[in-house]
Amino acid sequence: MQLFHFFFFFMLYLATVTTNLLIISVVAFDHRLHSPMYFFLINLALQDLGSVSVIVPKSMINSLMDTRRISYHGCAAQIFLFLSFGVSDFSLLTVMAYDRYVAICHPLHYEMVMNWKYCTEIIILVWVAGLLCGMLHTIGTFSIHFCSNVVNQFFCEIPQLLKLSCSGLNLFETGILVVSFIVGLGCFTFIIVSYAVIFKAVLRISSEQGRQKALSTCIPHLTVVSMLVLSSCFAYLRSLSNTPSYLDFWSTVLYSLLPPLFNPIIYSMRNKNIKHVLSQLWSF
């Protein structure tokens, strides 16, 4: 089972790293892709690459060496970095939904609204929000006293660590989780509304081909975001049971490992400009 665990995570990690590095390389080295939309894509790839690299290599090493150990500071670093990348990733997906809304519903105003200055400020804000959220959650989680050092998960995850508290619920971390949930729900609602307006605009397109193209782009975006939100909500808001469950494991895999794999495929690989550059590189 440990070898199966290792190879399963190795294949997921290899596929995720390969696709995201490919996107970063293509956008960075082709001057035709130096525009705000691709600027968002390269940042999304960096965030996805960072989030899986924080948790998967350590888990693979533990499986291969048949050990279960992580240091206290290593656990704190894992939580801080994973949440920083994860929150900035979701924030950027929210921004990208707005970007698609402006591009499809107000194409004549796109270059004026999504200019380089505005996009750079947004990216800085996205990364700062991720770092701030990661720091607050790390402080809140490690301010509690732990009665056990056994974490029933393949990485240090906040819900599993909260189960180890000697004094029950920690008010500070619970408050941060509630605020994070409200903000996350607001972002998810914004994404849903943005795509609803896009769908309404798409249905007015007279060309059947244009309508299918727009829908085939937006529906996969919405599917990945929904999977990320629902699985993370299930993992973080389900009743705290002291009994380890395979359901905990798979819900964590859904929100931590699959979106970084699917994001470059859905947001980038299906883009005709990126596919064109990739085909040129492949021909060499």
Side-chain angles (χ1 to χ4, degrees), residues 136-157:
L136 288 174
H137 276 292
T138 305
I139 293 172
T141 302
F142 286 89
S143 65
I144 66 177
H145 296 287
F146 299 113
C147 288
S148 171
N149 62 354
V150 180
V151 181
N152 292 311
Q153 195 51 271
F154 63 91
F155 73 100
C156 286
E157 187 188 36

Side-chain angles (χ1 to χ4, degrees), residues 2-3 7 12 20-21 86 98-99 102 106 116 136 138 163 171 190 196 201 205 208 211 239 243 250 264 270 277:
Q2 291 304 306
L3 287 176
F7 283 112
L12 274 178
N20 282 287
L21 283 179
Y98 177 71
D99 175 74
V102 176
H106 303 283
W116 272 109
L136 288 174
T138 305
K163 294 178 183 180
L171 292 179
F190 180 84
I205 297 176
E208 181 69 23
R211 190 185 302 129
S239 58
T243 307
W250 288 112
R270 301 172 76 252
V277 176

Side-chain angles (χ1 to χ4, degrees), residues 17 39-40 61 112 131 177-178 206 210 234 279-280:
V17 169
F39 182 51
F40 290 149
I61 291 171
M112 181 181 67
L131 291 171
L177 284 172
V178 170
S206 57
F234 179 83
S279 64
Q280 287 182 321

Side-chain angles (χ1 to χ4, degrees), residues 2-247:
Q2 291 304 306
L3 287 176
F4 170 76
H5 180 275
F6 170 80
F7 283 112
F8 173 69
F9 273 56
F10 175 74
M11 295 307 295
L12 274 178
Y13 186 62
L14 183 64
T16 303
V17 169
T18 302
T19 51
N20 282 287
L21 283 179
L22 205 56
I23 299 306
I24 293 169
S25 303
V26 167
V27 175
F29 291 109
D30 195 298
H31 68 278
R32 292 169 296 181
L33 302 181
H34 292 176
S35 64
M37 182 181 74
Y38 297 103
F39 182 51
F40 290 149
L41 289 177
I42 201 172
N43 275 274
L44 184 68
L46 286 169
Q47 291 159 355
D48 287 335
L49 195 58
S51 65
V52 293
S53 297
V54 166
I55 60 176
V56 176
K58 176 61 177 173
S59 181
M60 289 193 302
I61 291 171
N62 282 353
S63 297
L64 199 60
M65 303 298 292
D66 195 24
T67 182
R68 305 288 186 277
R69 297 183 182 278
I70 186 171
S71 68
Y72 182 87
H73 293 98
C75 186
Q78 237 185 21
I79 285 183
F80 170 69
L81 292 172
F82 178 72
L83 282 174
S84 296
F85 284 120
V87 170
S88 58
D89 192 290
F90 187 63
S91 301
L92 186 54
L93 290 176
T94 307
V95 172
M96 289 172 70
Y98 177 71
D99 175 74
R100 291 299 82 207
Y101 160 74
V102 176
I104 294 174
C105 299
H106 303 283
L108 298 178
H109 297 152
Y110 181 77
E111 291 188 4
M112 181 181 67
V113 175
M114 304 302 291
N115 57 68
W116 272 109
K117 181 176 181 296
Y118 181 63
C119 291
T120 303
E121 291 173 351
I122 287 177
I123 288 297
I124 293 172
L125 186 62
V126 160
W127 283 99
V128 169
L131 291 171
L132 181 62
C133 188
M135 181 179 67
L136 288 174
H137 276 292
T138 305
I139 293 172
T141 302
F142 286 89
S143 65
I144 66 177
H145 296 287
F146 299 113
C147 288
S148 171
N149 62 354
V150 180
V151 181
N152 292 311
Q153 195 51 271
F154 63 91
F155 73 100
C156 286
E157 187 188 36
I158 289 178
Q160 299 299 327
L161 286 171
L162 293 180
K163 294 178 183 180
L164 310 181
S165 172
C166 298
S167 54
L169 287 176
N170 178 269
L171 292 179
F172 181 66
E173 177 57 22
T174 303
I176 297 172
L177 284 172
V178 170
V179 171
S180 299
F181 173 74
I182 293 171
V183 173
L185 185 62
C187 290
F188 184 54
T189 303
F190 180 84
I191 293 172
I192 296 292
V193 171
S194 298
Y195 280 113
V197 175
I198 290 172
F199 289 148
K200 185 178 178 181
V202 164
L203 292 176
R204 291 199 297 264
I205 297 176
S206 57
S207 167
E208 181 69 23
Q209 185 180 1
R211 190 185 302 129
Q212 288 180 353
K213 182 181 176 182
L215 288 175
S216 67
T217 300
C218 295
I219 290 175
H221 292 190
L222 198 55
T223 302
V224 172
V225 173
S226 299
M227 180 182 69
L228 170 63
V229 171
L230 295 176
S231 56
S232 59
C233 283
F234 179 83
Y236 277 75
L237 299 178
R238 71 188 293 268
S239 58
L240 294 177
S241 169
N242 291 322
T243 307
S245 168
Y246 283 109
L247 204 57

